[in-house]
Amino acid sequence: MLFFTQVNTNVEASWRHFNEGVLGYASRRKVLKYSPSGWGNFEAGYKNDYFKSNRYTQYVYSKKSRTMIIRYKNRDKTLNVKYNFRKIILRHGHKTPTFTYYYKVGKDRWTYCYTIKYWLDKPTRF
């Protein structure tokens, strides 16, 4: 399991620009497991408010643990933090991977969202 400390998340050199095509293009997907509280909050409000993809969205990937951390600029001034984070843990193969999603808003702990199995047409080999 990969743990990023506050020092590591502020290192600018290791972050790269993120777009949705980095993970590959899926022909279909299936939700295998989800957290009723975390998944509901993530889909209802947090995703639109705190996790908007734009040109400032960046990611860092750990090949050893197959974990991707994506950071988004925080627009909520009351949180008093610069970034919000999503974590994706990749498991199984490259053509039919299973992604486990977590999110972190501000200084909260990681919250589990859901696990999705994808069937990728053009997978990116991480």
Side-chain angles (χ1 to χ4, degrees):
M1 187 163 237
L2 179 69
F3 295 102
F4 284 95
T5 62
Q6 192 64 27
V7 176
N8 289 341
T9 57
N10 291 329
V11 176
E12 294 296 328
S14 61
W15 293 94
R16 291 175 283 196
H17 177 70
F18 176 79
N19 62 3
E20 295 296 330
V22 169
L23 295 169
Y25 299 96
S27 59
R28 64 188 179 104
R29 64 183 183 176
K30 179 182 179 183
V31 177
L32 300 179
K33 182 182 174 185
Y34 68 92
S35 166
S37 60
W39 183 68
N41 289 336
F42 184 74
E43 288 296 322
Y46 289 153
K47 188 172 183 179
N48 293 332
D49 296 338
Y50 298 129
F51 299 100
K52 287 185 179 176
S53 292
N54 57 27
R55 61 188 177 132
Y56 300 110
T57 305
Q58 296 175 315
Y59 78 96
V60 65
Y61 178 74
S62 171
K63 194 169 186 177
K64 185 176 181 181
S65 63
R66 293 187 73 194
T67 302
M68 179 181 288
I69 306 287
I70 306 168
R71 73 178 183 185
Y72 301 82
K73 274 205 168 179
N74 181 29
R75 294 179 176 85
D76 189 354
K77 303 298 181 194
T78 59
L79 289 177
N80 199 20
V81 293
K82 196 169 183 180
Y83 299 105
N84 297 322
F85 296 94
R86 264 198 321 182
K87 177 166 66 171
I88 304 174
I89 299 174
L90 291 77
R91 293 189 176 93
H92 303 296
H94 292 282
K95 291 189 177 181
T96 57
T98 303
F99 292 178
T100 304
Y101 291 85
Y102 297 85
Y103 69 88
K104 182 167 76 167
V105 177
K107 296 179 181 177
D108 293 343
R109 293 178 159 195
W110 289 105
T111 304
Y112 170 74
C113 294
Y114 40 65
T115 301
I116 300 178
K117 181 174 183 178
Y118 289 97
W119 286 263
L120 300 179
D121 290 336
K122 297 178 181 178
T124 303
R125 295 183 83 68
F126 281 108

